[in-house]
Amino acid sequence: MDNLIKQIEAWSVTRHLDEQPSKNQLLKLVEEVGELVAAHNKQRKAEVIDSVGDILVVLTIYCQQRGLSIEDCLETAYEEISGRKGRLVDGVFVKEADLNDD
């Protein structure tokens, strides 16, 4: 994975994406998520795989632009959720603090 991240970052440098405003990557991210939703809804596995990959590329470049490490971001998120308590609500995990047991 580390090698892939370095290749993506090098690819973005050769295309000067690393120098662009990070908001552009956020807009691209929304586009790619929309494509993932469409592929999911149509049950097109190859398109789902492509969309997930595109999302990871966009997030990698966004992190690069912001001086962040995508690995550190993922590790931080895992550390936050690893001990989280909650329950499934309609098939979605909802953390304990967000549950409303009225």
Side-chain angles (χ1 to χ4, degrees), residues 42-57:
K42 295 173 185 173
Q43 298 181 354
R44 295 186 175 162
K45 185 177 180 179
E47 291 177 25
V48 166
I49 292 168
D50 180 65
S51 294
V52 170
D54 288 347
I55 288 167
L56 292 171
V57 167

Side-chain angles (χ1 to χ4, degrees), residues 54-65:
D54 288 347
I55 288 167
L56 292 171
V57 167
V58 169
L59 285 173
T60 299
I61 296 169
Y62 174 82
C63 287
Q64 178 187 29
Q65 291 171 329

